[in-house]
């Protein structure tokens, strides 16, 4: 995506932290201990701070006064605003995709749906990357890089909120059916239907997310998250003790 850091050590740290945030290893609200993370990775705090700054600019991390950086978290009241923005962007993109799609992009949308369906039928627990793959493919069919970039930033925040829940809400049967219907609407060039399906889909996702967040709300109000210390990248560390690339490309 345009504007992301993809250079040298700082870029590796960005991708490592991003993956841990999106998969819930670093849960919403957890604070990052820069000293411990830099020590565990065998790096100076300069590249780490650059990486943290990049993730703050993306909305995955926030600066907490007198406490440093923490993983993005939101109250249920904040979710409505997040989905208002997402609906405005993605409904427009769905409409564009129906007008601008190319044959290879329709093929990719259908293949993403097929992979998701197969994964669900075999009982595998579907992860966020399959959901993102569909929405990313739709953005590519829309041929609007600026909208795609903004959608990606909003989607990441939704994934973070989901990651902190015991009950994951992505890829229910209804959600998967929505994706399949949208793919066909785009294939048929039906812009109104594609946009309407996206609007209904996102409304469902918002409702499911709110219900899960409210069910997970602790008695007696919010509790402060502990300092985040898990920093080992999924691909391990290099022999020198310094960070090695995880081998994963950000979705």
């Amino acid at each position: 995506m345009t504007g992301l850091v993809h250079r040298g050590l700082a870029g590796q740290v960005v991708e490592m932290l991003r993956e841990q945030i999106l998969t819930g290893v670093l849960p919403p609200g957890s604070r990052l201990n820069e000293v411990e993370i830099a020590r565990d990775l065998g790096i100076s705090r300069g590249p780490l701070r650059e990486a943290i700054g990049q993730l703050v600019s993306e909305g995955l991390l926030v600066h907490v006064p007198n406490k440093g950086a923490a993983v993005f978290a939101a109250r249920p009241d904040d979710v409505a605003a997040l989905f208002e923005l997402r609906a405005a962007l993605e409904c427009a993109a769905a409409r564009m995709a129906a007008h601008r799609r190319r044959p290879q992009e329709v093929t990719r949308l259908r293949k993403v749906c097929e992979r998701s369906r197969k994964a669900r039928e075999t009982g595998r627990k579907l992860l966020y990357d399959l959901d993102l793959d569909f929405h990313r493919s739709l953005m590519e069919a829309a041929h609007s890089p600026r909208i795609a970039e903004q959608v990606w930033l909003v989607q990441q925040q939704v994934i973070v909120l989901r990651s902190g829940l015991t009950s994951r809400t992505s890829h229910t049967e209804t959600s998967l059916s929505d994706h399949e219907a949208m793919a066909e609407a785009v294939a048929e060039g039906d812009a109104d239907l594609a946009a309407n399906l996206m609007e209904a889909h996102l409304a469902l996702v918002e409702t499911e997310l709110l219900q899960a967040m409210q069910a997970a709300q602790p008695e007696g109000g919010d509790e402060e998250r502990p300092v985040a210390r898990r920093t080992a990248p999924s691909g391990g560390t290099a022999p020198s003790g310094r960070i090695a690339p995880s081998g994963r490309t950000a979705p």
Side-chain angles (χ1 to χ4, degrees):
M1 300 303 294
T2 302
L4 299 187
V5 173
H6 284 302
R7 63 181 186 279
L9 188 56
Q12 294 180 41
V13 179
V14 166
E15 296 309 321
M16 183 206 70
L17 291 177
R18 189 202 310 282
E19 182 169 358
Q20 294 191 345
I21 292 168
L22 294 181
T23 56
V25 174
L26 300 178
S30 59
R31 292 182 287 113
L32 274 62
N33 186 315
E34 291 186 20
V35 174
E36 292 192 5
I37 292 175
R39 182 190 64 205
D40 291 345
L41 296 179
I43 62 175
S44 68
R45 292 175 68 181
L48 176 59
R49 286 177 173 171
E50 184 178 353
I52 288 173
Q54 174 62 34
L55 293 174
V56 167
S57 72
E58 293 183 30
L60 286 180
L61 295 176
V62 296
H63 280 302
V64 181
N66 303 317
K67 293 183 179 179
V71 178
F72 167 78
R75 298 176 184 274
D77 290 346
D78 300 323
V79 173
L82 199 60
F83 273 87
E84 283 179 358
L85 176 58
R86 186 173 178 183
L89 293 168
E90 293 203 61
C91 288
R95 188 177 296 279
M96 291 177 186
H99 287 307
R100 302 175 179 177
R101 83 278 187 243
R102 296 169 181 165
Q104 63 268 30
E105 292 157 351
V106 170
T107 298
R108 180 175 179 183
L109 276 170
R110 287 171 168 163
K111 286 185 176 179
V112 171
C113 290
E114 289 173 5
R115 289 200 304 271
S116 298
R117 176 65 65 184
K118 181 179 293 187
R120 181 172 178 79
E121 289 175 350
T122 57
R124 185 169 72 84
K125 196 170 186 179
L126 293 171
L127 302 176
Y128 74 89
D129 57 312
L130 284 173
D131 184 61
L132 274 183
D133 201 18
F134 174 83
H135 288 271
R136 182 172 62 250
S137 298
L138 188 67
M139 293 304 108
E140 290 176 355
H143 295 278
S144 178
R146 288 186 178 275
I147 288 181
E149 182 172 12
Q150 294 306 310
V151 167
W152 165 235
L153 296 177
V154 177
Q155 283 176 335
Q156 285 190 119
Q157 292 184 316
V158 173
I159 294 167
V160 173
L161 297 180
R162 283 175 168 173
S163 74
L165 301 173
T166 301
S167 175
R168 301 300 174 89
T169 61
S170 62
H171 270 93
T172 61
E173 177 61 32
T174 302
S175 179
L176 182 51
S177 296
D178 287 348
H179 285 184
E180 292 168 339
M182 278 187 274
E184 293 311 307
V186 169
E188 293 168 9
D190 193 331
D192 288 339
L193 179 57
N196 290 339
L197 286 168
M198 178 63 78
E199 183 177 18
H201 172 68
L202 293 177
L204 173 65
V205 174
E206 178 184 3
T207 298
E208 291 178 339
L209 178 59
L210 283 170
Q211 290 174 345
M213 290 177 67
Q214 289 166 353
Q217 187 71 21
E219 294 292 336
D222 296 335
E223 296 180 1
E224 185 179 3
R225 294 279 188 175
V227 175
R229 296 180 178 177
R230 292 192 61 180
T231 57
S234 61
T237 54
S240 64
R242 281 167 170 65
I243 182 173
S246 65
R248 169 184 170 275
T249 301

